[in-house]
Amino acid sequence: MTRAVALADIRTARERIANKIERTPTVLSQSLSDRAGHPVHLKLEHHQTTGAFKLRGASNAIAALGPQERSRGVVAASTGNHGRALAHAAKLEGMRAVICMSRLVPENKLDAIRRLGAEIRIVGNSQDDAQQEVDRLVAEEGLLMLPPFDHPDIIAGQGTLGLEIMEQVPDAASVLVPLSGGGLAAGVAAAVKGVSPGTKVLGISMARGAAMKASLDAGRPVQVEEVPTLADSLGGGIGLDNRLTFAMCRGLLDDVILLSEDEIAAGIRHAYEQEREIVEGAGAVGIGALLSGKMKAKGPTVLILSGRNIDMSLHRRIVCGDPAQEESAA
Ligand SMILES: *Cc1c(COP(=O)(O)O)cnc(C)c1O
């Protein structure tokens, strides 16, 4: 099953998850429209249940499982938004979910996932150790691993965001999508271009450790060094054995824009001060791209605010505008 995800798959996903997720609003940003000289719309997906769009993919992947697979339960090593989404979606279906993490994961992240009813396994001192525990649970206890992006049902679920955008802003000339492993960008681009082939879809990553951008440039999946960034949800690789998102992003994205840490911070600050929205770094990159001038609007533009799960003391430091402290916090 390595064929690209198509519009029909995304429409199926939408019906499957309709009563499991929120249809989030899209609002006009007056301040960004004034700057850009074109209407700029914000898709407020950071108000999604669990605080990020990842619930769409997780809900769709779980809804697609047969009764036999459901009884096995799901497992993942993500302590970020995918882990939260999976824990929430599994709980809703009365399924077992196990999230594996290393000893280094901070207590507040651990609590958030525990509150969602997932079992937690703490093993070793690195993400690799946590992944080994996942592999063991798959092999020995028959749990099912649901990956964060490179899976057809995950991509189709994230794509439902693109369908909503084109209904809310049918004349969109460009859609800006935060880009990491590419599940969101692949799904949204397939939906947007399926409905409106002329609409441009651009991926936005941080300049520090953008694995998809490096892979697109190399013509194949490559590894990049992982470095701390304010857009922590955009960190991590795309997998050297990537099956779907690399090919889809290569085929569907019109461009990829990279932002400095200061440009991401400016996005977070603008979201708070002008739009009165609290977003995490990954959710602010669309705003950062417009403010930096790296993205020039040529018509109605939609920015996806993808998540809001930021440490609030870090957020406070950023909106107070102390760049030195941001640097050390990141
Ligand atoms: C996961 C995530 C992304 C990136 O999604 P990919 O499918 O990995 O490209 C962007 N923003 C937020 C808030 C996320 O949690």
Side-chain angles (χ1 to χ4, degrees), residues 46 51-54 80-82 148-150 154 158 177-186 204 212 232-235 237 245 249 280-283 285 304-309:
H46 60 304
F53 71 89
K54 292 268 192 340
N81 289 329
H82 177 62
F149 53 86
D150 200 22
I154 300 280
Q158 322 302 30
V177 190
L179 173 66
S180 176
L184 178 64
I204 323 283
M212 182 63 83
D232 57 317
S233 293
L234 301 184
T245 58
C249 286
E280 60 176 283
V285 293
I304 297 177
L305 276 48
S306 56
R308 67 170 175 202
N309 294 324

Side-chain angles (χ1 to χ4, degrees), residues 7-199:
L7 185 57
D9 303 310
I10 299 170
R11 292 203 162 119
T12 302
R14 164 123 101 170
E15 280 169 37
R16 272 201 204 119
I17 66 174
N19 59 1
K20 303 184 196 313
I21 60 134
E22 298 293 332
R23 182 187 157 97
T24 51
T26 296
V27 299
L28 185 79
S29 162
Q30 200 57 58
S31 68
L32 290 172
S33 300
D34 289 346
R35 265 171 191 268
H38 293 279
V40 176
H41 304 267
L42 308 178
K43 175 68 165 160
L44 304 182
E45 184 66 10
H46 60 304
H47 290 301
Q48 185 58 258
T49 310
T50 70
F53 71 89
K54 292 268 192 340
L55 188 62
R56 294 174 183 263
S59 299
N60 187 48
I62 282 182
L65 297 177
Q68 215 276 320
E69 291 168 308
R70 273 172 203 237
S71 66
R72 290 162 58 187
V74 290
V75 62
S78 162
T79 57
N81 289 329
H82 177 62
R84 282 194 195 207
L86 208 56
H88 179 89
K91 185 179 181 183
L92 221 60
E93 302 290 320
M95 276 173 61
R96 181 178 180 205
V98 182
I99 307 295
C100 302
M101 54 188 79
S102 86
R103 261 181 228 113
L104 304 181
V105 168
E107 196 67 26
N108 60 333
K109 279 198 168 180
L110 202 150
D111 270 355
I113 290 177
R114 191 180 280 134
R115 274 199 304 274
L116 290 165
E119 286 170 47
I120 291 176
R121 299 284 170 91
I122 299 178
V123 274
N125 290 314
S126 71
Q127 185 68 10
D128 282 350
D129 292 342
Q131 186 57 44
Q132 274 185 14
E133 176 68 2
V134 171
D135 296 342
R136 193 190 67 76
L137 288 167
V138 170
E140 292 177 17
E141 296 190 25
L143 284 156
L144 210 70
M145 187 186 68
L146 283 178
F149 53 86
D150 200 22
H151 184 291
D153 297 323
I154 300 280
I155 297 169
Q158 322 302 30
T160 60
L161 197 44
L163 292 180
E164 288 176 21
I165 286 172
M166 293 316 293
E167 287 164 6
Q168 292 166 327
V169 189
D171 63 345
S174 305
V175 178
L176 273 60
V177 190
L179 173 66
S180 176
L184 178 64
V188 166
V192 165
K193 290 184 184 278
V195 174
S196 167
T199 301

Side-chain angles (χ1 to χ4, degrees), residues 243-324:
R243 294 186 308 153
L244 289 166
T245 58
F246 172 71
M248 287 183 73
C249 286
R250 181 165 61 178
L252 293 168
L253 291 184
D254 293 281
D255 202 358
V256 176
I257 296 170
L258 300 182
L259 297 187
S260 70
E261 296 299 298
D262 282 348
E263 289 164 344
I264 296 167
I268 294 173
R269 210 175 288 125
H270 175 97
Y272 185 68
E273 281 168 5
Q274 303 295 322
E275 318 294 343
R276 313 291 162 118
E277 300 289 346
I278 293 172
V279 294
E280 60 176 283
V285 293
I287 297 176
L290 268 190
L291 292 177
S292 70
K294 288 180 174 168
M295 156 74 194
K296 294 208 175 19
K298 300 199 177 72
T301 300
V302 181
L303 315 181
I304 297 177
L305 276 48
S306 56
R308 67 170 175 202
N309 294 324
I310 185 171
D311 178 82
M312 285 311 288
S313 60
L314 172 61
H315 188 271
R316 214 170 294 129
R317 287 196 297 277
I318 293 170
V319 299
C320 291
D322 183 341

